[in-house]
Amino acid sequence: MRDPHPIVDLDRARDRIARTPRLIMRGRVIGVVGPVVEATAVPAALGDLCRIVSESGVEVTAEVVGFHDRALMLMPLGSVAGIAPGAYVQPLGRKPDVGVSEALIGRVLDGLGRPMDQRGRVEVAARYPLEADPPNPLHRSRIERPLGTGIRAVDGLLTIGRGQRIGIFAGSGVGKSILLGMIARQSTADVNVIALLGERGREVREFIERDLGPEGLRRSVVVVATSDQPALVRANGALVATAVAEYFRDLGLHVVLMMDSVTRVGMALREVGLSVGEPPATKGYPPSVFASLARLMERAGTGSRGSISGLYTVLVEADDFNEPLSDHARSVLDGHILLSRQLAAAGHYPAIDVLESVSRVRDAVVTREHLETIRTFVRLQAAYRGAEDLIAVGAYQRGTDREVDAAVSLREAMNVFLRQQPTETSSLDETVSQLAAFHQAAVQLESGTPAGAGAGAGTVR
């Protein structure tokens, strides 16, 4: 009689399964239009990776970006040169990911997460998907601790919280790379993850060696996708940097994620969208661009253990801070820092316009005394700007407005506080102390005791 419950040798069964030939479904290339390769349909989902192999030996990995009739639409993660009609398309059965480990610190990666600093391979502890859901809003801890950036204008007046996402809005050539380098070297974060996306190749080495420096690189992971890379690689570079930041966040560390720039990521996503036939909407940007950017930036923030503080630079087109990408980023982020071309032209660095900038979590991470000093500084800064034209032509008469009088007297002290050399360091406590000295000087001036005010103003230096 046959045993109804035979004993199965699992090891033998696994070995037989492993040696069983598999049916490999392959398609063929039927057309190439710009950066998009069309292939006969193969069993692959949106976002899956495929391998394209031409008879000439050209082999390139591509990502599924859409479907058209019965054809698959792929964008190669490399050059389309050499891909010929009839080339095989084989699905790899996986989506893009990146190998992560603590050994990434101090390394430079390309837009696909591969080392490009010629220092050998990186030992991988885990693999993180490039596409991931943002943290559940109800699982995010509240932002209650300040993040020291080492920049007086930011720490003193626009205080950033751990886990906050803030945009740095700037035109070209006003010092945003220098500002990022200063923050990378001086911030109180455990790890920096810096994404240089769509940059000129010349600028990458300059940033790493001059702005970031050996001190900053020792605690940073740098992801680079230059402007000559395919649009999908530039867009994926942002996802690689975010996935690396999520790995360190899951270790319980506090991470500063710097992305330069969100604008170029948006441009890369626009290229992808238009290439697959998505209709243009706002100033040529397909609707999916804004949805993708919002999803990308929402992945930063506080987690159940660590946190990711996001600093996203926005390269404003023609210094128009209301163009579509700038306006969208400002609506998604938790604040914005505006760099003024007028201040930069006057040699005022960092060129932060403190009156036009805002940190939406500042009041939750500073003390009541610190907040009072901030309001005094901003009030006098606004008073001076309001009367600046009259002061410049000599039409303002001292004694007309006590607040303006105090602003004129403390103008130099305000500029000394706001200006900072790239090599100059200032801890959060030092910045708060200098701001408190300024506040004391302002109170004495406005109360009509200039003698004490002079002494207090001098301590601001």
Side-chain angles (χ1 to χ4, degrees), residues 183-237:
I183 295 174
R185 294 193 307 271
Q186 302 178 30
S187 77
T188 56
D190 299 314
V191 180
N192 302 310
V193 179
I194 305 170
L196 306 176
L197 308 172
E199 295 284 343
R200 306 173 186 90
R202 170 188 60 82
E203 294 178 328
V204 172
R205 186 167 182 177
E206 288 182 359
F207 176 83
I208 293 174
E209 295 183 357
R210 182 193 64 191
D211 300 328
L212 186 60
E215 177 186 352
L217 184 59
R218 274 195 296 269
R219 53 199 296 261
S220 303
V221 182
V222 182
V223 178
V224 176
T226 50
S227 58
D228 61 297
Q229 295 292 310
L232 196 58
V233 174
R234 283 178 271 141
N236 279 357

Side-chain angles (χ1 to χ4, degrees), residues 164-181:
Q164 182 177 354
R165 300 160 304 130
I166 196 161
I168 300 176
F169 292 72
S172 57
V174 295
K176 67 180 184 304
S177 295
I178 295 176
L179 184 65
L180 290 180

Side-chain angles (χ1 to χ4, degrees), residues 340-353:
S340 164
R341 187 174 299 279
Q342 184 179 1
L343 290 175
H348 182 117
Y349 289 103
I352 299 173
D353 188 335

Side-chain angles (χ1 to χ4, degrees), residues 205-442:
R205 186 167 182 177
E206 288 182 359
F207 176 83
I208 293 174
E209 295 183 357
R210 182 193 64 191
D211 300 328
L212 186 60
E215 177 186 352
L217 184 59
R218 274 195 296 269
R219 53 199 296 261
S220 303
V221 182
V222 182
V223 178
V224 176
T226 50
S227 58
D228 61 297
Q229 295 292 310
L232 196 58
V233 174
R234 283 178 271 141
N236 279 357
L239 301 176
V240 167
T242 304
V244 170
E246 288 172 337
Y247 166 73
F248 287 109
R249 177 203 62 194
D250 293 345
L251 293 181
L253 302 178
H254 174 59
V255 186
V256 168
L257 170 62
M258 305 181 195
M259 194 169 293
D260 185 18
S261 69
V262 166
T263 304
R264 293 191 175 107
V265 174
M267 290 178 176
L269 292 171
R270 177 172 63 181
E271 289 183 44
V272 174
L274 295 178
S275 296
V276 298
E278 191 176 354
T282 309
K283 291 195 73 172
Y285 287 97
S288 65
V289 171
F290 302 101
S292 297
L293 289 179
R295 181 179 175 85
L296 172 69
M297 293 185 285
E298 278 291 341
R299 288 170 64 178
T302 55
S304 57
R305 297 181 63 192
S307 63
I308 302 174
S309 300
L311 276 70
Y312 301 92
T313 70
V314 180
L315 185 63
V316 293
E317 183 179 343
D319 289 346
D320 178 11
F321 290 91
N322 295 313
E323 54 92 19
L325 279 184
S326 300
D327 194 52
H328 176 70
R330 201 162 42 237
S331 68
V332 172
L333 297 170
D334 304 318
H336 52 271
I337 298 173
L338 265 60
L339 302 187
S340 164
R341 187 174 299 279
Q342 184 179 1
L343 290 175
H348 182 117
Y349 289 103
I352 299 173
D353 188 335
V354 295
L355 295 183
E356 296 294 333
S357 304
V358 64
S359 169
R360 294 193 176 99
V361 304
R362 180 194 65 190
D363 294 4
V365 299
V366 300
T367 63
R368 183 178 301 177
E369 294 77 12
H370 185 182
L371 185 58
E372 186 178 353
T373 64
I374 292 172
R375 289 172 176 165
T376 299
F377 193 104
V378 172
R379 177 169 53 82
L380 293 183
Q381 188 82 350
Y384 187 90
R385 182 171 296 185
E388 191 169 10
D389 291 340
L390 293 175
I391 296 169
V393 299
Y396 176 75
Q397 297 295 321
R398 185 175 288 271
T400 304
D401 187 311
R402 180 171 291 181
E403 193 173 72
V404 175
D405 290 345
V408 172
S409 299
L410 293 172
R411 178 62 175 171
E412 181 59 26
M414 288 191 285
N415 283 336
V416 167
F417 179 82
L418 294 174
R419 289 174 178 156
Q420 190 170 341
Q421 294 296 322
T423 57
E424 186 180 352
T425 61
S426 181
S427 69
L428 182 59
D429 290 339
E430 291 172 343
T431 296
V432 173
S433 297
Q434 292 183 40
L435 203 56
F438 174 89
H439 172 73
Q440 182 182 4

